[in-house]
Every structure is written in structure tokens, then in C-alpha cells.
Amino acid sequence: MKVGIDSYCYHRFFGEVYPGQRAPAQGYTMETFLDRARDLGCQGVSLESCFFPEFGRDYLTRLRGKLDALGFDRVYAWGHPDGLEAGGKPAAKDEMLRHIEHAALIGAPVMRVVGSSLMFRFQPHEPQLRTLAAWFREAAAIAERMRIRLAVENHIDYNADEIKWLIDEVGSEWFGVNLDTANFIRVLDDPVEATRKLAKHVYATHVKDLLPVKGVDVREWYYFSSVAAGTGLVDIPAIARILHDNGYQGFLAFETDMPHPQYQEREEAMIEESMAYLKKVVAPLK
């Protein structure tokens, strides 16, 4: 099993600065991110489309060339921040369908997609899921023609049983899961048990670890904030073992969002600690 990183780890460097954070002195481009991933010893990268400077064929072809030269496995990640808005935004569905071709142009065999987000999690889920199943069924048919697997993320929106229902309802081997190891905690679902339920359908990952933040309202999504992999609540070795035993072919992609106060403006320290830890986790999984 390989290890990698999602470009969202550097969201502050790509210009998405959360309230209470400061912009860094020097930003990132996609190229500097890829060079950093190489220096970290990554074998794969998940590239958030929201940070792409453009989507022209020439640019995407050049990006593919750099990815190939660096030898990276890759996931094309569409849907930040709210994806299909729980089935409430048809224009987002059309955008998602267009991005399948972008994934193909960079040579990504998997495209992460987002059905909903924390913005819609307290609204009734059944009508959301039924609409999303129909939209993802359409997308999966297009993705199959391009030989790209779609992987829906648990995005602080649905629990494992709901994601499994969505997978079964779409009913295509070209539609599976982008398993976020920590977001299940944020909807009060157990990450290890969720992985057991979904393991056979996992095509990509976000390996995130969390700890609660004292003084933050428990109703805030960042009550559970990001820490270095292996230092929080998530049993990452157990999850990696379940994925391995179920034939997972992708890489473990470290990801962070809101850093815990102990890592505020110290993303690099969190990332370096996490990459070292993940390499130890996967070492026995041969």
C-alpha cells in the first residue's frame, strides 16, 4: 500500500484562509505543491480542482506530464466546498460531469466527488440521497466510458449506512467511496466500523486524524480539528489493515482541514509527522 497527500493540506497556501488564520507569506502553485509532495516521499497525490488555475487542455496535458515524470499515482478531486448541495443544485451536476474529462486529461483513474456537505446535514436525508443516486448514476455511465472510477466522499454529511445505500442504489462498479477516516466522527459514526461496511467499495482515501478543541462549541464542525496522523482519535492502522485485506488498490492520502490549536500555522510540522507515521503504518501491509 502506498502513501500520498491531498493538496487540501495546503489550502491556506492556495488562498483559502479560514477565519482566524493568517495568509502565508508565500503561496503555492500546483507545481510547487507537486515538488513538495515529491520531497515528502509521497507516492500519490489527490489534486483539489478548486486550486487549479485553469482547465484548458494544454494546461492539463502539461500537468499530466509533470505527474508522470514524478511517478505519482493520482486522484482528481472535485466538489469543494459543497459539491452537489445535497441534490439541490443541478448546475453543480453539470459541472461535475464536465470535470470527468479533466480527470481523464491528467490521467487520473479515480475522481473524488462530493454529494453534500455540513451545510445540509440537518435537512432530511432521504430526498437528498434519492436525487443524488439518480445524478451519480448518470455520472457513472459517463465515467465508465472514460474508464474513470467516481468516489463519493463522506463529507460531514452522511453516515456509513447512508453512503452504502447510495453505492447500492447507483449500482455501478464505476461508483464507489472516497473514505475520509475522520469525517465519520463528525457525524457520530465510528470510523473503523464504517470502513468495514464500505471497504469493498473504497477507491480513494482522505486519511485525517482529529482531536476535540477545548472552548469550541460542540455544534461547530471544527470542534474536532486536525492533528498529525496517529496522534488523535482515529485508529488508522486498523483502517489501513481493513482496506488492505479487502483488496484496496489506491494510496493513503493524508489530509487536513482546520488545524488543532497545537498545529495552528504549523501545517508543515503536521504533514511531516503524518507522512512519517503513514509510512510506518503501511510497511507491514505488503
Side-chain angles (χ1 to χ4, degrees), residues 78 84 96 110-116 129 132 136 149-155 157-158 162-164 166-167 170 174-180 184 198 201-206:
W78 174 88
L84 300 174
M96 174 183 66
V110 176
M111 174 173 156
R112 188 285 306 269
V113 293
V114 173
S116 187
L129 290 165
L132 291 175
F136 283 136
R149 296 186 186 275
L150 302 181
V152 65
E153 182 179 348
N154 53 301
H155 203 236
D157 45 19
Y158 305 121
E162 291 170 317
I163 295 288
K164 182 62 166 60
L166 190 58
I167 299 301
V170 172
W174 298 92
F175 182 75
V177 180
N178 187 118
L179 184 85
D180 188 300
F184 282 120
L198 298 170
H201 307 283
V202 175
Y203 297 154
T205 62
H206 283 165

Side-chain angles (χ1 to χ4, degrees), residues 184-257:
F184 282 120
I185 289 177
R186 289 166 165 162
V187 296
L188 304 183
D189 204 0
D190 179 76
V192 174
E193 184 59 30
T195 303
R196 290 196 182 98
K197 292 176 180 178
L198 298 170
K200 293 184 181 300
H201 307 283
V202 175
Y203 297 154
T205 62
H206 283 165
V207 180
K208 186 156 62 234
D209 210 348
L210 303 176
L211 281 177
V213 180
K214 185 176 181 179
V216 172
D217 191 318
V218 296
R219 293 168 293 186
E220 293 283 359
W221 70 271
Y222 59 90
Y223 170 75
F224 292 109
S225 288
S226 296
V227 293
T231 66
L233 300 173
V234 180
D235 190 345
I236 293 171
I239 290 172
R241 172 59 67 180
I242 293 167
L243 292 175
H244 174 269
D245 291 349
N246 281 272
Y248 175 59
Q249 298 299 307
F251 56 94
L252 298 183
F254 180 65
E255 191 213 25
T256 72
D257 43 38

Side-chain angles (χ1 to χ4, degrees), residues 78-79 81-97 113-117 120 131-133 135-136 139 152:
W78 174 88
D82 300 313
L84 300 174
E85 297 191 6
K89 190 175 182 183
K93 182 196 75 168
D94 296 336
E95 178 185 314
M96 174 183 66
L97 299 181
V113 293
V114 173
S116 187
S117 73
F120 311 95
T131 298
L132 291 175
W135 289 5
F136 283 136
V152 65

